[in-house]
Amino acid sequence: MEKFLDRFLNYVKKNTRSDAAKAGVVIPSTPSQMEFLHELSEELKQIGLVDVKINPKNAFLSATLPANLTVDADNVPIIGFIAHVDTADFNAKNISPQIHEDYDGRDIILGDSGFVLSPTEFPNLKNYIGQTLITTDGTTLLGADDKAGVCEIVSAMEYLINNPQIKHGKIRVAFGCDEEIGVGADHFDVEDFGCDFAYTMDGSAVGELQFECFNAAEAKIDILGKSVHPGDAKDKMINALSISRDIQNAMPLVCVPEKTENREGFIHLIEAHGNVENASLTYIIRDHDKTLFENKKYIVKKICEDINSKYDIERVKLSMHDEYHNMADIIKKDTRSVDIATKAMQNLGIEVNKAPIRGGTDGSKISFMGLPTPNIFAGGENFHGRFEFVSVQAIKKAVDVIVEIVKIAAE
């Protein structure tokens, strides 16, 4: 336990925050991510993995654990495990993880920040009484999303190398960048990875096995106003900010993240800028059901058309594109990945939670590239902020699940 704990603490202390402003322009979006990949590649070589390489075109580090079976190796599926090294859009400088052994269910004071991680606000803490928790000091995120996943994959590979009596087929691992800004898997090389199916270790609480996610799109609306001195504006001024208000007010009021759950989709305003002359709105559109997803896209388009019909020229310009799709449409065609992971968790006494992801992972895109890639828990909770935490025991269970998966696949 001490070794993988030290590994995790070492990983999270490295600032690998991605930069949305450079998404798709520079790969990876921040140099610190590539620096971490180089360090990680040396570690993979040291523990005994082979074919260790970093692809500069897509910023993925990959490596191989060769099969150790003496017979029937060709009939055993090649399995991949994937995690991302970047962290979300929150302070990641000088991360100082705090360790709380034998958690007693009470409030946790986060360093000297003045913030408290409380079960009153986060009832999920009650699930970890008696466990060892790793939290932030209240000034940064932790980075368990997805350094926990990285740690779990590396630790599982090291365990298999050190325990050759556990027979397994060929295993591939990959670590990528820029997942948090939505472009990490855009150029993933499925053919080079060469697997029958794979898993992203990028979920949250223990037991999560996710193979259904949102269909996702982004809508950017640019608004052209007409600026006139307010003292002489009657019947002349066209306020781009007022048009922005009209667009937002026309959106379905209940179709927002704060009022939806489970498979319910939403149209979410994530960014707004502007003045009288020019304004812009950015929405993300999500739904698990393809028909409802397309309907939400139509709603946004129709609102923009209706607003434009009120003016003599096109005042509202909509640009919309799909970001990823529901990986269930692919995985249902070959359920081996889900079946094996389910059995692995059940063998370990872990209650399986197959609730759909209210978001997406690299596996969403990779699945549509032809490689079924469901998502397995990494153990952390409250991702992307100062209240993030992870249980040491949860990390250990994720390591155990990886090992159990490759054992079952070789049977």
Side-chain angles (χ1 to χ4, degrees), residues 309-325:
S309 69
K310 300 176 181 179
Y311 298 97
D312 55 342
I313 65 170
E314 186 180 63
R315 294 284 173 185
V316 175
K317 291 186 178 181
L318 169 67
S319 59
M320 185 161 50
H321 67 275
D322 288 358
E323 296 177 300
Y324 56 84
H325 297 283

Side-chain angles (χ1 to χ4, degrees), residues 378-390:
E381 298 209 39
N382 299 351
F383 290 151
H384 296 187
R386 69 180 84 250
F387 299 109
E388 184 182 1
F389 69 90
V390 66

Side-chain angles (χ1 to χ4, degrees), residues 93-390:
K93 293 181 179 179
N94 302 314
I95 293 175
S96 180
Q98 311 288 298
I99 299 176
H100 311 270
E101 296 183 354
D102 194 19
Y103 173 57
D104 61 6
R106 300 179 183 179
D107 289 356
I108 299 174
I109 298 174
L110 299 177
D112 297 324
S113 67
F115 290 96
V116 175
L117 181 61
S118 172
T120 301
E121 186 175 5
F122 301 104
N124 50 336
L125 279 167
K126 292 291 187 179
N127 299 325
Y128 297 91
I129 293 174
Q131 298 188 31
T132 297
L133 298 186
I134 306 172
T135 71
T136 76
D137 67 354
T139 64
T140 69
L141 49 62
L142 180 61
D145 180 11
D146 190 27
K147 301 287 180 61
V150 177
C151 173
E152 289 152 6
I153 294 171
V154 176
S155 298
M157 295 306 105
E158 184 176 43
Y159 181 83
L160 291 168
I161 290 168
N162 292 337
N163 292 272
Q165 74 276 10
I166 299 175
K167 301 305 177 184
H168 56 81
K170 181 178 179 181
I171 303 169
R172 294 277 283 153
V173 301
F175 305 99
C177 299
D178 291 341
E179 190 270 353
E180 296 293 0
I181 58 175
V183 298
D186 284 358
H187 305 288
F188 186 80
D189 193 334
V190 167
E191 183 177 355
D192 180 70
F193 200 44
C195 295
D196 292 284
F197 53 85
Y199 302 93
T200 49
M201 301 299 298
D202 194 19
S204 186
V206 169
E208 286 185 348
L209 173 57
Q210 300 160 321
F211 52 91
E212 182 180 353
C213 66
F214 277 139
N215 295 287
E218 180 184 79
K220 178 73 178 294
I221 301 173
D222 291 310
I223 303 153
L224 175 64
K226 182 191 295 183
S227 183
V228 177
H229 189 285
D232 190 33
K234 182 175 172 54
D235 299 327
K236 299 175 185 176
M237 177 186 288
I238 300 175
N239 192 329
L241 294 174
S242 296
I243 297 176
S244 299
R245 178 199 60 209
D246 294 341
I247 291 172
Q248 175 61 7
N249 286 344
M251 295 292 174
L253 296 179
V254 297
C255 190
V256 290
E258 59 267 36
K259 295 183 180 180
T260 55
E261 61 183 350
N262 300 324
R263 288 180 172 82
E264 296 172 335
F266 52 76
I267 302 170
H268 178 33
L269 176 63
I270 62 169
E271 197 169 317
H273 300 282
N275 51 38
V276 172
E277 188 77 19
N278 297 100
S280 66
L281 302 171
T282 302
Y283 291 86
I284 58 173
I285 303 166
R286 302 287 189 265
D287 209 295
H288 285 90
D289 182 271
K290 190 65 178 291
T291 300
L292 295 177
F293 173 62
E294 293 298 331
N295 184 58
K296 287 178 174 60
K297 289 162 60 178
Y298 173 77
I299 288 172
V300 174
K301 181 181 178 182
K302 186 66 166 58
I303 288 172
C304 292
E305 290 175 349
D306 289 346
I307 295 292
N308 271 328
S309 69
K310 300 176 181 179
Y311 298 97
D312 55 342
I313 65 170
E314 186 180 63
R315 294 284 173 185
V316 175
K317 291 186 178 181
L318 169 67
S319 59
M320 185 161 50
H321 67 275
D322 288 358
E323 296 177 300
Y324 56 84
H325 297 283
N326 189 347
M327 58 186 171
D329 294 338
I330 301 299
I331 293 174
K332 68 183 179 183
K333 299 174 184 178
D334 180 358
T335 63
R336 286 180 297 168
S337 58
V338 174
D339 296 339
I340 291 174
T342 299
K343 184 177 180 181
M345 292 188 197
Q346 290 173 340
N347 287 354
L348 296 168
I350 297 172
E351 183 177 350
V352 184
N353 175 11
K354 295 182 179 180
I357 312 171
R358 284 183 64 78
T361 67
D362 279 344
S364 311
K365 293 183 178 180
I366 294 171
S367 292
F368 275 86
M369 294 175 181
L371 178 63
T373 307
N375 189 43
I376 292 176
F377 70 89
E381 298 209 39
N382 299 351
F383 290 151
H384 296 187
R386 69 180 84 250
F387 299 109
E388 184 182 1
F389 69 90
V390 66

Side-chain angles (χ1 to χ4, degrees), residues 65-81 160 166-172 193-197 199 334 336-337 340 402-411:
L65 177 59
N68 65 357
L69 293 167
T70 55
V71 293
D72 292 330
D74 292 339
N75 295 323
V76 175
I78 301 172
I79 303 175
F81 294 94
L160 291 168
I166 299 175
K167 301 305 177 184
H168 56 81
K170 181 178 179 181
I171 303 169
R172 294 277 283 153
F193 200 44
C195 295
D196 292 284
F197 53 85
Y199 302 93
D334 180 358
R336 286 180 297 168
S337 58
I340 291 174
I402 295 173
V403 173
E404 190 69 15
I405 284 173
V406 299
K407 287 169 62 177
I408 292 172
E411 292 176 352

